[in-house]
Amino acid sequence: MASEFDLIARYFTRAAPAGLLGVGDDCALFPVPPGEQVATSTDLLLEGRHFFPDVDPKALGHKALAVNLSDLAAMGARPVGCVLGLALPRLDEPWLAAFADGFHALADAHGCPLIGGDTTRSAHDLAISVTVFGAVAPGQALRRDGARPGDDVWVSGELGAADVAYRLLDGQYPADPALLAATRDALEWPQPQVALGLALRGIAHSAIDISDGLLQDLGHILAASRVGASLHYERIPVAAALASMDEAPLRRAVLGGGDVYQLCFTAPASRREAVLAAARSAGARAARIGEIRQQAGLDVQDGQGRTLADLPAGFDHFPAA
Amino acid sequence: MASEFDLIARYFTRAAPAGLLGVGDDCALFPVPPGEQVATSTDLLLEGRHFFPDVDPKALGHKALAVNLSDLAAMGARPVGCVLGLALPRLDEPWLAAFADGFHALADAHGCPLIGGDTTRSAHDLAISVTVFGAVAPGQALRRDGARPGDDVWVSGELGAADVAYRLLDGQYPADPALLAATRDALEWPQPQVALGLALRGIAHSAIDISDGLLQDLGHILAASRVGASLHYERIPVAAALASMDEAPLRRAVLGGGDVYQLCFTAPASRREAVLAAARSAGARAARIGEIRQQAGLDVQDGQGRTLADLPAGFDHFPAA
């Protein structure tokens, strides 16, 4: 049977790109361009909590890196490299090969090579930790605390599909193979908006990626920037697959659904054309869904200008008992 | 009950040092001095695998960071910052407070502030992921692949105590409160040799930290450098507390015991005085325990020049069934 070290070597070691010292020393080394800072983000993903035990391992490898690249995207940082920690309950080589495939394919697509890692055996569940590194000039980073009254609120992509796929797979909704087929990729193969984040530098005042739900994540921008916002529900782009859903679960998916990995950002009203041009250049879609205001709070209005009640709460890993 | 975000804020957020953007945005940001590279290392620690469920949480916070700082030490890198992922099976505020205390105290001692993190709930076990960042000029990094025939092999500190403490706590050895008291700090409060690693830049040809056992970790240097080595058993510094142990378990502890977090390094024979001066300047002890040779392999000789048989195998997270 292969040893731990053989395993790491077989599936995760690749020739390190020029200038980088990769897997195989106490530390990995990577350079940072003069005048730029390192942006870093870390996520710890657990079986049963962040993914289903039977998820396609190739999709899981993709997503484990995607959720971290999405944080770089929200910062306007260019990916430089990443490290991976894997705690495996058993030695399953086909699983490892598929996981590594999905991970490396996304890493290659974004120029974010795996340069270090740690593999260990777990007693129960699979655990995955990924830390990504990017580079960004200090004054260009898109932060959460830069939203100002008069900014528009924007969102990239379409919302809602990942939440619906999750609830279908979790058995919260009755089985609907057609709906699952139309929404599953949004949940399992999220595409981090790295190009859009880079294109928005110098244009957006603030940005965040939507991991816990639009309202909750926008709420982080509002709190950090000490401002409030009004959103217009009918302007929020909704995945076409959800057209036939009832209004209540649809709203919950659009406003509260997590695992989206699109960007929510703010930019001055004077830069609307620049935002749209940035989105086009990144091959992304951007929709203007609301306004930042001085007064604290966050409300959502319907097409008639009425404020929606019973907004969905955000996701909390430790909900009140 | 406190929400996830409140918890993170209470125990892990501190004012970020000047120039760093800490916990509270999509990414943390940190600068790297011109001409230096980033050195990074990641570890994933699991309850029942890397620590006992009832370990003092303050010691655990210390050790979770210490094992990563030890990788920076082995690279000759200066600590810059770290990120922490925590998967908690339950919300235990006294535990969190003590863990944070131990973590921050070591971070402060090494100028390695916590700048980002991820807290989540686990289904079963506690899992801790730490990724550290350091800075080092590219040509100065202590690597594994630089050992050359004619180098001395050196080790810092004393070996053996952590292994004995582990086996006592694990019930592999009969209870011996005096021996446990004398060895437990080595296991639970390892001191990463950061100052020694920095002092050895420009002197040592190669270095590694001893996490899996002297023979196994030196073996990584030998493999990466394509050389062999002879060690002299009687020259290896052994913790005084182990003086009364039987020879077989003592050898296993000294040669095969993991969790040491001292440095094993090689340096040319012409630099012996420089090594000793570096160790003195770092407040560390360094012992010359062997030589690097051209011929592959690793042997250990006793005081009479006889080669020891039955050397302990290294630690493997996935031992052959």
Side-chain angles (χ1 to χ4, degrees):
Chain A
M1 184 180 279
S3 79
E4 177 194 2
F5 301 102
D6 290 341
L7 273 181
I8 293 170
R10 191 170 317 151
Y11 295 110
F12 295 110
T13 309
R14 295 171 149 198
L20 281 66
L21 177 63
V23 178
D25 213 303
D26 296 286
C27 293
L29 295 177
F30 64 88
V32 180
E36 297 198 36
Q37 288 193 326
V38 179
T40 184
S41 174
T42 192
D43 271 288
L44 186 49
L45 303 179
L46 301 173
E47 179 179 328
R49 185 88 203 159
H50 298 95
F51 54 89
F52 294 103
D54 60 350
V55 67
D56 171 8
K58 188 170 177 180
L60 184 60
H62 169 96
K63 187 166 177 176
L65 179 57
V67 303
N68 280 279
L69 284 172
S70 183
D71 285 318
L72 292 184
M75 211 77 193
R78 183 174 40 77
V80 171
C82 59
V83 294
L84 168 68
L86 264 184
L88 302 168
R90 73 200 74 82
L91 185 51
D92 178 343
E93 296 206 29
W95 189 96
L96 263 179
F99 179 91
D101 261 5
F103 193 98
H104 284 309
L106 189 68
D108 290 347
H110 289 280
C112 189
L114 180 67
I115 57 175
D118 184 31
T119 308
T120 189
R121 184 160 207 159
S122 72
H124 298 106
D125 299 333
L126 178 62
I128 306 165
S129 78
V130 176
T131 305
V132 288
F133 317 108
V136 62
Q140 290 202 308
L142 305 176
R143 296 171 55 155
R144 295 182 180 179
D145 59 4
R148 300 174 208 166
D151 278 6
D152 296 318
V153 178
W154 297 79
V155 69
S156 68
E158 297 171 336
L159 306 189
D163 182 75
V164 171
Y166 172 80
R167 291 177 196 271
L168 283 165
L169 288 168
D170 196 42
Q172 297 179 36
Y173 291 160
D176 184 335
L179 186 58
L180 180 59
T183 56
R184 190 166 188 162
D185 275 3
L187 178 68
E188 298 188 343
W189 294 89
Q191 298 300 326
Q193 298 299 307
V194 174
L196 179 60
L198 291 170
L200 287 172
R201 293 180 302 178
I203 300 170
H205 277 161
S206 68
I208 195 168
D209 71 316
I210 303 175
S211 54
D212 296 334
L214 173 63
L215 296 189
Q216 177 158 327
D217 289 313
L218 176 56
H220 293 312
I221 286 183
L222 303 181
S225 303
R226 300 166 189 262
V227 293
S230 289
L231 299 186
H232 306 285
Y233 183 74
E234 84 287 356
R235 291 202 217 152
I236 302 173
V238 176
L242 311 187
S244 62
M245 282 186 71
D246 290 341
E247 191 55 27
L250 181 62
R251 267 190 203 170
R252 181 170 65 180
V254 170
L255 297 175
D259 262 338
V260 176
Y261 305 107
Q262 294 291 340
L263 299 185
C264 175
F265 56 97
T266 77
S270 61
R271 304 302 303 278
R272 286 177 187 167
E273 282 309 314
V275 168
L276 293 170
R280 274 194 304 272
S281 78
R285 175 175 166 181
R288 188 161 50 83
I289 64 169
E291 302 86 33
I292 297 293
R293 63 178 191 224
Q294 189 101 47
Q295 188 198 350
L298 172 56
D299 56 66
V300 184
Q301 296 175 7
D302 68 13
Q304 283 73 48
R306 290 171 306 212
T307 299
L308 297 183
D310 301 324
L311 296 180
F315 182 76
D316 186 340
H317 290 293
F318 291 96
Chain B
M1 183 180 279
S3 79
E4 176 193 5
F5 301 102
D6 291 340
L7 274 180
I8 293 171
R10 193 171 314 152
Y11 295 110
F12 295 110
T13 308
R14 295 171 150 197
L20 281 67
L21 176 63
V23 178
D25 213 304
D26 295 287
C27 293
L29 295 177
F30 64 88
V32 180
E36 297 198 34
Q37 288 193 326
V38 180
T40 184
S41 174
T42 192
D43 271 290
L44 187 50
L45 303 180
L46 302 173
E47 179 179 327
R49 184 89 203 159
H50 298 96
F51 54 89
F52 294 102
D54 61 350
V55 68
D56 171 8
K58 189 170 176 179
L60 185 60
H62 169 96
K63 187 166 177 177
L65 179 57
V67 304
N68 280 279
L69 284 172
S70 184
D71 285 317
L72 292 184
M75 211 78 193
R78 182 175 40 77
V80 171
C82 58
V83 295
L84 168 68
L86 262 184
L88 302 169
R90 73 200 73 82
L91 184 53
D92 178 342
E93 296 206 32
W95 189 96
L96 263 179
F99 180 91
D101 261 6
F103 193 98
H104 285 308
L106 189 67
D108 290 346
H110 289 280
C112 189
L114 180 67
I115 56 175
D118 184 30
T119 308
T120 189
R121 185 162 207 158
S122 72
H124 297 105
D125 299 333
L126 178 63
I128 305 166
S129 78
V130 176
T131 305
V132 289
F133 319 107
V136 62
Q140 290 202 310
L142 306 176
R143 297 170 54 155
R144 295 183 179 178
D145 59 4
R148 301 175 207 165
D151 277 5
D152 296 318
V153 178
W154 297 80
V155 71
S156 68
E158 297 171 335
L159 307 189
D163 182 75
V164 171
Y166 173 80
R167 291 178 196 271
L168 284 165
L169 288 168
D170 196 43
Q172 297 180 36
Y173 291 160
D176 184 336
L179 187 58
L180 180 59
T183 55
R184 190 166 187 162
D185 275 4
L187 178 68
E188 297 187 345
W189 294 90
Q191 298 300 326
Q193 298 299 307
V194 173
L196 179 60
L198 291 170
L200 287 171
R201 292 179 302 178
I203 300 169
H205 277 162
S206 67
I208 195 168
D209 72 316
I210 304 175
S211 54
D212 296 334
L214 173 63
L215 296 189
Q216 178 159 329
D217 289 313
L218 175 56
H220 293 310
I221 287 183
L222 303 181
S225 302
R226 298 166 190 263
V227 293
S230 288
L231 299 185
H232 307 285
Y233 183 75
E234 84 288 356
R235 290 203 216 151
I236 302 174
V238 176
L242 312 187
S244 62
M245 282 186 71
D246 290 341
E247 191 56 28
L250 181 61
R251 267 191 203 169
R252 181 170 64 180
V254 170
L255 297 175
D259 262 337
V260 176
Y261 305 107
Q262 294 290 340
L263 298 185
C264 175
F265 57 97
T266 77
S270 61
R271 303 302 304 277
R272 286 177 188 167
E273 283 308 314
V275 168
L276 294 170
R280 274 194 303 274
S281 78
R285 176 176 165 180
R288 188 159 50 82
I289 63 170
E291 302 87 33
I292 297 292
R293 64 179 190 223
Q294 190 101 48
Q295 187 198 351
L298 171 57
D299 56 67
V300 184
Q301 296 174 8
D302 68 12
Q304 283 72 49
R306 291 172 306 210
T307 298
L308 297 184
D310 301 324
L311 296 180
F315 182 76
D316 187 338
H317 291 291
F318 292 96

